[in-house]
Amino acid sequence: MKVIFERQSLASGISLIQNIVNSASTMPILANILIEAGAESTTIYGTDLESFGRVEMKAQVEEGGRVTVNARLLADIVKLMPEGEVVMDATGNKLTISGGRNTYAMGTMPSDDFPEWPRIEAETTLVLRQADLRRILHNTMFAIPVRDPRKVLMGVLFELNGGRLTCVATDGRKLGKITIEPTEIRGRDSISVILPKRILEELDKAIGEEGEIELGISDRQVSFTLDNLSYVSARLEGTYPKYDAVIPQSFKRTIRIQKTTLADAINRAAIVAERRHHSILLKFSTGQIEIQAQSSEDGTYEGAIETDYQGESFKLAFNHQYLQEIFKVTPDPQVDLKIKDVNAPIVFECESDPQSLFLVMPVRISEIEEAEANV
Amino acid sequence: MRAILHIDMDAFFASVEVLDRPELRGRPVIVGDTPEGRGVVAAASYEARRFGVHSAMSAAQARRLCPGGVFIRPRHRRYSEISKKIVTIFRDYTPLVETISLDEAFLDVTASQKLFGTAVEIGRAIKKRIKDEIGLTASVGVAPNKFLAKIASDLEKPNGFVVIEPGTEAARLATLNVNRLWGVGPVMDRELGRLGIRLVGDILKTDPKRLERRFGMESARALIDLARGLDDRPVVPDSAPKSISEETTFERDIGDSARLVEILDGLADEVARRMRRQGYRARTVHLKARYPDFTTPTRSLTLPSPTASTVAIRKAARELFEQKLGRAGRALRLIGVGVSGLVPEDEGQLELFREGDDRAEKIDHLIDRIQKKHGDDSIRRG
């Protein structure tokens, strides 16, 4: 095999595959990527057996063939090569990589040992705008827990129903939800699938604002195809919690807040919030919100901001981290806080994006304080 | 010799109310449910106590005893706020602060004496600062261990300051009623009465064999130790412990596995309770055993998710015992249960999807509350 790449495009191709590769695997071949040069195109493959990625590259093929090489090693080499051509030349189990007056030579592993690209028989295919998928990932992925024994939470739920796709992620304390309309649906019109965080993170890097992406869904796997890039991933198995049942449908109060003003005050309060549970207290009363935090180690904070709120006074307590995360993902400068009860999920919505909803579970306010607050 | 302080705020909730509303000073203040309600009294000022009002009494009864009482609904957040300020004062003298509740804490000031003077001086300084900076009175006990320090703080309540000097323990304790000893509940109190034992001093005058016959070796030993003023439990600081454990050495080796499991359950209960009290959940449960030849193997088990549930800790401890260490019928000298991998419990954080055994959790909290109010022997798991 002899192929001539342009350094920059080879580097970006490798970066789309490199994270799929599992360098810590007990199977050494899984630390490698496969480069396949054919008459029509050159393709780079990587996998950890859960997820598969492949990217088609522009390259000048002098001699077709296949070679596998350690992914991290290749990435490091290509990163430091001078701009211009990078030539990969494989004969037998020897590979040389040259760029300018630099040449690396190394042994390779048999390319036939590399796992085969999975064939997936998609029952359902969805075509989405890349910009829509971007919004989906932006509005949900922040809510995926870092780790959780509930495996189903380690991904985003994609639910297709009546021509609309609803996507949800939650860690049980905060939740992000968005509904979009796919540009095309083939196959079943109702489907529910949980996509693992890992592959979504890779997609997030690969997609842009233009163009479309195709999602193929089979009973065990899901595939993503855009331009010259494909990913296939195992679905997360299990039953997603009934998120619909916990989203309040009616509200006692809706309060429009200036996001940055409140976010600034919360950031100030956060400095002294109790490290154990990060809770801060918001006291709403006509015309203002008072913000309070205290910790035994650091002291107390009291602040206030103005609002248009008119009505009886009440208090809400939150883990400030969750609020900060919500404020980061909401698109508008103004956010509507919808409250059913001070101990029920609090909904956050933006006028410009009625298809999205965010939710935070507050910190309990004891019945007595509640009574006090309602005096 | 250790130097332990026990600091107990006087009628804490009621005193905070008087602090915030000075016009109530000198009046019988009763914090708790309204007298029309079916709830109970959480705290009563000393003025109200003169009418016979005490905590845990029904509010309606309190009204009958003290019709002129000022009834106030509790404001826990405020009490907690003041409590935190008080704990901040404690931490100026030692990191070894074990808070028992909002109004009560143990401090180990053994090492602090080099920096801040004697334990008595530290106790006086803390008492004065609570008065000057917060405006409340506390009763302080200074003693060589937790048990004596707690007895001491109670002797001259309110606004007391009692030192039990090493060597004077037994004399100090002799005239106290036996029910002041830890572990002596109403039943044991009655049993002791039948043996003619009413005062702590009577215990030491009684033949230990008689006590053993009546209460068993373990309890008899514990009684005698306490009557002598002996107690070696450490002050467990509240800040980020790495592990929590309980163990017990047997008077005689125990080979009966049913009996061992029973003891194990008790240790697991205590570990789980301490975890909850300190606001932690644990990922890993450890079991420690010591065989008659003094080999002391330990085994551990990592749970799928952190827990502070008594049932879960018991289950893990039993599993370890049955599968790893309870070699068929082999006798043990010591057995212990511990937990590590502690994560702070996000106190009060509500969950969207309630997982796990909600009922077991409720039972844990209920038992914790009852034990806190009425003592450890008031309720036991089956």
Side-chain angles (χ1 to χ4, degrees):
Chain A
M1 183 195 89
K2 187 173 181 186
V3 187
I4 302 163
F5 296 93
E6 199 277 311
R7 192 206 72 89
Q8 186 58 50
S9 74
L10 178 59
S12 55
I14 292 169
S15 74
L16 290 172
I17 301 299
Q18 196 192 352
N19 291 322
I20 302 268
V21 175
N22 179 4
S23 50
S25 170
T26 49
M27 286 172 70
I29 192 92
L30 294 185
N32 283 14
I33 58 172
L34 173 73
I35 299 164
E36 194 175 65
E40 309 278 302
S41 62
T42 300
T43 309
I44 301 178
Y45 297 86
T47 180
D48 64 353
L49 297 180
E50 284 276 307
S51 320
F52 294 79
R54 76 171 177 207
V55 59
E56 257 177 55
M57 309 273 314
K58 277 200 200 93
Q60 184 187 328
V61 179
E62 303 220 323
E63 190 193 341
R66 283 150 58 92
V67 68
T68 78
V69 56
N70 183 281
R72 184 173 300 159
L73 186 64
L74 181 64
D76 287 347
I77 288 172
V78 173
K79 193 172 15 173
L80 296 180
M81 281 290 188
E83 289 303 335
E85 290 182 348
V86 173
V87 182
M88 294 179 73
D89 191 346
T91 328
N93 59 355
K94 285 245 156 57
L95 170 69
T96 62
I97 305 168
S98 344
R101 299 181 60 180
N102 312 286
T103 302
Y104 291 89
M106 60 196 72
T108 69
M109 296 169 84
S111 55
D112 288 347
D113 291 353
F114 199 85
E116 232 177 281
W117 184 257
R119 291 193 186 289
I120 108 157
E121 307 283 336
E123 286 182 328
T124 306
T125 301
L126 307 179
V127 179
L128 313 179
R129 287 176 204 90
Q130 287 187 31
D132 280 346
L133 181 59
R134 237 198 144 80
R135 283 173 59 219
I136 290 173
L137 299 180
H138 179 260
N139 288 9
T140 56
M141 285 184 61
F142 77 97
I144 300 177
V146 177
R147 65 180 80 81
D148 200 290
R150 293 165 290 184
K151 291 282 172 259
V152 289
L153 297 187
M154 301 305 294
V156 176
L157 175 73
F158 280 58
E159 243 181 3
L160 181 69
N161 222 325
R164 293 156 65 81
L165 179 69
T166 299
C167 300
V168 179
T170 178
D171 63 358
R173 292 169 174 189
K174 58 183 185 280
L175 177 147
K177 175 183 159 224
I178 176 171
T179 303
I180 60 127
E181 282 176 21
T183 53
E184 198 185 327
I185 302 169
R186 299 194 295 270
R188 292 167 54 181
D189 58 0
S190 158
I191 197 161
S192 168
V193 47
I194 309 165
L195 304 183
K197 180 184 183 182
R198 176 116 188 278
I199 199 72
L200 296 176
E201 282 171 344
E202 291 311 306
L203 267 179
D204 203 14
K205 282 185 266 179
I207 55 179
E209 291 296 327
E210 305 291 324
E212 297 190 318
I213 179 167
E214 199 178 279
L215 249 88
I217 302 164
S218 78
D219 59 343
R220 305 291 298 274
Q221 287 173 311
V222 57
S223 67
F224 302 89
T225 314
L226 64 157
D227 309 325
N228 56 342
L229 178 70
S230 302
Y231 291 122
V232 173
S233 166
R235 296 168 51 164
L236 276 184
E237 307 211 4
T239 311
Y240 205 79
K242 295 199 186 328
Y243 69 89
D244 254 347
V246 300
I247 300 176
Q249 297 304 320
S250 61
F251 301 95
K252 231 173 14 190
R253 307 186 178 96
T254 297
I255 300 166
R256 178 155 297 187
I257 54 157
Q258 299 296 328
K259 191 169 75 173
T260 26
T261 320
L262 183 55
D264 286 349
I266 287 170
N267 287 337
R268 290 184 193 114
I271 294 173
V272 297
E274 191 68 60
R275 281 171 219 156
R276 226 190 231 183
H277 38 75
H278 309 284
S279 72
I280 57 159
L281 187 69
L282 304 183
K283 290 185 181 174
F284 294 80
S285 54
T286 294
Q288 69 165 4
I289 308 172
E290 288 167 77
I291 300 99
Q292 295 181 0
Q294 56 174 19
S295 69
S296 46
E297 292 96 14
D298 303 323
T300 63
Y301 166 82
E302 283 180 17
I305 61 171
E306 290 177 10
T307 62
D308 300 338
Y309 176 66
Q310 302 279 324
E312 56 181 332
S313 307
F314 66 97
K315 297 182 203 173
L316 279 179
F318 286 108
N319 178 329
H320 64 81
Q321 295 172 327
Y322 301 151
L323 284 186
Q324 286 160 327
E325 286 169 308
I326 297 282
F327 288 155
K328 241 181 253 169
V329 291
T330 42
D332 294 2
Q334 293 177 326
V335 178
D336 288 340
L337 234 88
K338 298 180 152 189
I339 300 150
K340 179 181 184 168
D341 181 279
V342 296
N343 288 330
I346 310 298
V347 169
F348 297 78
E349 280 177 334
C350 285
E351 205 170 27
S352 78
D353 186 10
Q355 305 309 319
S356 294
L357 170 153
F358 304 96
L359 183 156
V360 173
M361 208 57 187
V363 168
R364 179 182 289 112
I365 290 194
S366 75
E367 286 159 29
I368 287 161
E369 278 166 325
E370 210 179 317
E372 209 181 289
N374 288 336
V375 163
Chain B
M1 182 66 67
R2 294 186 299 157
I4 309 295
L5 307 185
H6 180 255
I7 299 172
D8 196 2
M9 299 303 298
D10 300 322
F12 183 55
F13 295 178
S15 303
V16 173
E17 294 303 335
V18 174
L19 183 71
D20 289 351
R21 294 164 60 182
E23 70 275 15
L24 296 177
R25 190 164 299 280
R27 298 188 56 190
V29 172
I30 299 162
V31 176
D33 197 7
T34 54
E36 296 76 34
R38 298 163 54 84
V40 297
V41 173
S45 69
Y46 285 88
E47 289 81 1
R49 291 183 197 192
R50 258 178 240 131
F51 291 88
V53 177
H54 56 78
S55 52
M57 164 185 283
S58 81
Q61 194 188 350
R63 161 60 54 93
R64 279 194 293 278
L65 289 169
C66 183
V70 183
F71 285 78
I72 299 176
R73 297 294 302 271
R75 298 179 299 152
H76 287 287
R77 193 168 280 260
R78 176 70 176 142
Y79 307 148
S80 158
E81 186 179 282
I82 301 258
S83 177
K84 279 176 181 163
K85 287 185 187 159
I86 297 171
V87 172
T88 313
I89 296 178
F90 297 163
R91 288 196 207 280
D92 285 348
Y93 298 90
T94 174
L96 300 175
V97 177
E98 178 179 345
T99 53
I100 302 301
S101 57
L102 288 179
D103 59 349
E104 196 187 333
F106 287 107
L107 281 64
D108 185 334
V109 296
T110 314
S112 315
Q113 300 181 94
K114 287 195 201 92
L115 292 167
F116 302 106
T118 64
V120 173
E121 284 164 356
I122 294 172
R124 292 229 179 263
I126 290 175
K127 189 169 153 68
K128 182 165 187 302
R129 282 187 59 189
I130 295 174
K131 180 70 192 157
D132 294 350
E133 293 171 25
I134 295 168
L136 295 177
T137 63
S139 292
V140 178
V142 186
N145 62 48
K146 283 166 86 171
F147 163 62
L148 290 169
K150 189 171 166 79
I151 294 274
S153 72
D154 198 41
L155 283 176
E156 290 177 11
K157 238 178 176 321
N159 204 13
F161 191 94
V162 174
V163 183
I164 297 185
E165 298 283 357
T168 67
E169 302 92 340
R172 272 287 196 168
L173 294 172
T175 55
L176 297 179
N177 200 303
V178 284
N179 64 17
R180 297 286 286 276
L181 298 183
W182 274 338
V184 179
V187 175
M188 196 163 192
D189 195 7
R190 219 166 30 239
E191 290 278 305
L192 284 165
R194 282 203 199 106
L195 295 177
I197 299 171
R198 287 200 171 71
L199 302 178
V200 175
D202 297 339
I203 293 174
L204 297 179
K205 289 180 208 144
T206 308
D207 182 355
K209 294 247 158 51
R210 270 187 84 200
L211 292 172
E212 276 173 29
R213 274 198 299 277
R214 182 62 67 101
F215 303 108
M217 178 90 82
E218 246 178 274
S219 303
R221 272 309 276 267
L223 265 181
I224 294 166
D225 279 354
L226 285 179
R228 286 194 184 128
L230 301 178
D231 172 28
D232 59 4
R233 289 167 315 147
V235 171
V236 181
D238 306 326
S239 59
K242 291 211 163 39
S243 64
I244 295 174
S245 62
E246 289 285 333
E247 60 180 51
T248 179
T249 304
F250 312 132
E251 285 296 333
R252 277 196 205 101
D253 298 348
I254 299 179
D256 175 8
S257 56
R259 174 80 190 111
L260 287 170
V261 166
E262 202 177 297
I263 294 167
L264 209 55
D265 280 351
L267 295 172
D269 288 4
E270 185 55 30
V271 166
R273 194 148 60 94
R274 277 176 54 198
M275 232 190 316
R276 294 194 293 270
R277 200 177 64 209
Q278 295 180 37
Y280 288 95
R281 291 181 296 157
R283 281 180 203 285
T284 306
V285 179
H286 306 266
L287 180 72
K288 173 177 176 184
R290 178 168 294 151
Y291 296 111
D293 63 2
F294 276 86
T295 52
T296 311
T298 59
R299 295 290 180 272
S300 62
L301 182 77
T302 295
L303 304 164
S305 62
T307 183
S309 146
T310 295
V311 173
I313 303 292
R314 269 190 179 194
K315 191 165 158 267
R318 282 186 185 205
E319 206 173 304
L320 284 166
F321 176 73
E322 278 153 17
Q323 293 172 9
K324 302 279 173 68
L325 290 180
R327 293 178 216 162
R330 202 169 152 192
L332 296 181
R333 284 185 64 87
L334 167 154
I335 198 158
V337 177
V339 290
S340 64
L342 300 179
V343 291
E345 178 173 43
D346 293 350
E347 200 186 332
Q349 174 64 54
L350 297 163
E351 296 285 340
L352 278 170
F353 315 102
R354 306 247 258 156
E355 49 162 341
D357 196 343
D358 221 19
R359 200 171 140 259
E361 206 173 287
K362 276 190 190 140
I363 291 172
D364 281 346
H365 286 288
L366 190 63
I367 293 180
D368 288 350
R369 267 171 47 203
I370 293 171
Q371 286 180 331
K372 198 170 145 192
K373 195 176 263 175
H374 303 293
D376 290 358
D377 290 333
S378 54
I379 183 167
R380 289 249 176 259
R381 278 164 209 266

